[in-house]
Amino acid sequence: MEQYAIKGGNPLVGDVEIGGAKNAALPILAASTMTDETVFIENMPDVRDTNVLLEAMQHIGVMIKRPDRHSVILNSGNINNLVVDTEGIKKIRASYYLLGALLGKYKCAEVALPGGCDIGCRAIDQHIKGFRALGAEVMIEHGLIKARAQKLVGSHIYMDVSSVGATINVMMAAAMAEGMTIIENSAKEPHVVDLANFLNSMGANIKGAGTDVIRIRGVQKLHGSEYAIIPDQIEAGTFMFAAAVTKGDVTVKNVIPKHLESITAKLLEIGCEVEEADDCVRVVASKPLNHTQVKTLPYPGFPTDMQPQITVTLALSRGTSIVTESIFENRFKYVDELTRMGANIKVEGNTAIIDGVEKYTGASISAPDLRAGAALVIAALAAEGLTTVDDIKYIERGYEDFHLKLKNLGAMIEVVQTEKDIQKFKLRVG
Ligand code: EPU
């Protein structure tokens, strides 16, 4: 099984280029099925989740070409199957975006119930409520969510929780419903806005994305489009915290600094310097870091997908910090692994109480999920000695060339398969 072998201690220094946002790419790929015309998408991240979704789309008849690693051309004029039930699709969360997209276009779809990272209960009641409000019948049977409608009719929908997935799914179905849909308490994340912009570029009529009320006037048909996906806010944030925790100096390029404000604010608070330019941010950590408090919240609050990365940083900062997770109920599973590296963290319910320690020491650890996996890697980069991280397949779901980008910044990290590889790595890094 592939693992990362990491020798900590080098401050990360240099430039890193951020790719397209995974969580925007997934709904944009799904939404591309809503037209029979050709869609050309650029800045597509080459990560496992997007590739699994593309495979499932190919399986139902979408023609897909990859002119280069980060572009994809899709044509959905010959979709021949409205049941999406491949082995891979069950493992990713975004499978359900095909439900909203296909329901919008064909008024009928069946999709395997979504998997995704194990970070607590991930209900889909708001998706179902939204589809039903548009006039669809929705059933869960044999591991599939099935939705069908004679016709979809616009409706006024109040989301009980601000859900990224439900907002996106209902927005796609409503884009091709009759009349006006209003989604209240909609999610405001940058990827929700990116999907709305993409749908509008295909001829949809969506207003208000990025605020908590989205108005969608349904259209009968969508057309082809050329579109570039926004940069990945979370990949960028992960490298910003990697700079902080290793006491480095990293310029994170190809970002939208506005999307990083809550992350930048916390880095400044704990004592980093952050310089912003048009499309990059530089993080310098030259002084000892300080404690702080943080609570994860929907955008523009501090993202839950950055919670493990800030926790590993605060666990090496002076004083007592408090991290409260308010989005998912079980997102501190990685704390046990971090404790094995020397962290002093007590988790009580959805709160982590962190007493900063002087150093981490390397250990054999496992990535429990995507973001926690990335956070443990950055902890290992700051640790004394050797760390091995297994289950890196989780990290590959959402980070393209993670270890190569880190290596380029001076990290000592390799992908290894066997004990012999680990010994060789040890000899090489001393
Ligand atoms: N929720 C409900 N009912 C629903 C939907 C959600 O109660 O019908 C609850 C969830 O249980 C959770 C909260 O609402 O407590 C927020 O969930 P949301 O629907 O916003 O999350 P998601 O769409 O399942 C996406 C990202 C996650 C990211 C969250 C929050 C994708 C594919 N996934 O998940 O990303 O953490 O939004 O921002 O976009 C990741 O990339 O590592 C990842 C987990």
Side-chain angles (χ1 to χ4, degrees):
M1 206 198 339
E2 288 194 332
Q3 299 183 320
Y4 288 143
I6 299 164
K7 164 96 187 295
N10 275 7
L12 297 188
V13 177
D15 297 351
V16 62
E17 192 81 28
I18 298 307
K22 167 189 79 98
N23 289 345
L26 293 164
I28 286 175
L29 285 175
S32 74
T33 61
M34 297 177 72
T35 174
D36 286 345
E37 295 179 17
T38 297
V39 170
F40 177 60
I41 301 170
E42 289 178 293
N43 209 28
M44 173 66 56
D46 182 15
V47 293
R48 189 162 295 174
D49 277 15
T50 51
N51 291 328
V52 166
L53 182 62
L54 280 165
E55 248 173 59
M57 287 167 60
Q58 202 155 29
H59 200 76
I60 59 169
V62 180
M63 305 289 293
I64 296 170
K65 285 194 208 137
R66 303 292 289 260
D68 61 57
R69 190 174 181 198
H70 298 124
S71 309
V72 55
I73 300 173
L74 305 114
N75 186 289
S76 301
N78 289 312
I79 286 184
N80 49 33
N81 185 356
L82 297 176
V83 183
V84 189
D85 192 16
T86 55
E87 236 352 90
I89 204 77
K90 293 181 188 139
K91 301 201 176 86
I92 68 167
R93 191 81 202 147
S95 53
Y96 58 31
Y97 289 150
L98 286 172
L99 196 68
L102 298 174
L103 178 68
K105 185 176 176 200
Y106 297 102
K107 316 297 175 230
C108 176
E110 298 186 9
V111 177
L113 271 172
C117 285
D118 181 9
I119 49 183
C121 164
R122 300 183 73 176
I124 51 168
D125 56 306
Q126 299 304 303
H127 302 241
I128 294 175
K129 170 173 141 173
F131 293 147
R132 286 193 176 137
L134 296 175
E137 261 178 58
V138 187
M139 279 187 309
I140 297 181
E141 251 178 15
H142 310 301
L144 296 170
I145 319 180
K146 304 179 175 181
R148 64 176 62 237
Q150 287 295 331
K151 58 178 185 174
L152 295 175
V153 180
S155 177
H156 198 133
I157 300 161
Y158 185 88
M159 294 282 170
D160 298 332
V161 289
S162 161
S163 155
V164 169
T167 302
I168 284 177
N169 237 340
V170 174
M171 188 156 79
M172 288 194 286
M176 294 188 81
E178 286 174 19
M180 177 73 99
T181 297
I182 299 174
I183 309 177
E184 303 239 25
N185 194 26
S186 50
K188 301 191 276 262
E189 271 65 7
H191 30 291
V192 173
V193 179
D194 208 33
L195 173 70
N197 289 340
F198 173 63
L199 286 167
N200 284 342
S201 80
M202 293 167 80
N205 184 347
I206 301 173
K207 296 198 170 112
T211 74
D212 41 27
V213 184
I214 302 182
R215 289 165 204 277
I216 305 146
R217 182 165 295 284
V219 296
Q220 279 190 345
K221 222 173 155 187
L222 295 172
H223 55 70
S225 168
E226 289 185 13
Y227 196 79
I229 293 170
I230 52 165
D232 197 306
Q233 173 204 25
I234 306 300
E235 186 192 13
T238 302
F239 281 99
M240 291 166 78
F241 273 96
V245 82
T246 62
K247 306 284 182 295
D249 177 349
V250 175
T251 301
V252 184
K253 294 183 149 174
N254 182 35
V255 299
I256 300 175
K258 173 92 191 134
H259 294 167
L260 302 171
E261 275 174 353
S262 62
I263 295 165
T264 300
K266 285 295 157 193
L267 286 166
L268 289 171
E269 235 172 83
I270 63 175
C272 295
E273 292 157 52
V274 185
E275 284 169 27
E276 279 181 18
D278 280 355
D279 65 350
C280 64
V281 287
R282 178 175 173 207
V283 179
V284 185
S286 51
K287 293 182 285 214
L289 301 179
N290 292 317
H291 60 101
T292 191
Q293 301 205 355
V294 63
K295 181 175 183 180
T296 62
L297 286 170
Y299 189 82
F302 191 86
T304 173
D305 289 347
M306 287 299 304
Q307 181 261 99
Q309 298 87 319
I310 194 170
T311 300
V312 303
T313 309
L314 294 176
L316 274 191
S317 303
R318 287 189 301 210
T320 303
S321 297
I322 311 253
V323 175
T324 307
E325 171 57 56
S326 80
I327 309 292
F328 291 108
E329 62 189 16
N330 192 12
R331 216 172 185 176
F332 283 121
K333 280 199 300 188
Y334 64 91
V335 164
D336 287 343
E337 300 297 87
L338 203 58
T339 303
R340 301 177 59 230
M341 297 176 74
N344 186 357
I345 303 177
K346 210 162 110 194
V347 176
E348 287 179 0
N350 67 345
T351 302
I353 302 145
I354 304 163
D355 272 322
V357 293
E358 287 284 315
K359 64 172 188 193
Y360 292 139
T361 50
S364 286
I365 54 174
S366 295
D369 62 65
L370 164 59
R371 306 303 174 186
L376 290 171
V377 169
I378 67 174
L381 294 173
E384 194 178 277
L386 182 86
T387 297
T388 54
V389 181
D390 65 21
D391 283 335
I392 61 172
K393 59 179 189 290
Y394 289 117
I395 300 172
E396 291 165 350
R397 292 178 77 144
Y399 291 89
E400 180 181 311
D401 294 344
F402 193 45
H403 73 287
L404 296 178
K405 290 185 181 183
L406 289 168
K407 219 167 157 172
N408 217 19
L409 295 169
M412 289 182 279
I413 178 168
E414 284 300 331
V415 175
V416 292
Q417 302 240 15
T418 59
E419 193 47 45
K420 209 164 147 196
D421 293 342
I422 298 176
Q423 293 310 326
K424 274 200 225 154
F425 175 77
K426 271 191 190 163
L427 283 175
R428 210 167 33 248
V429 297

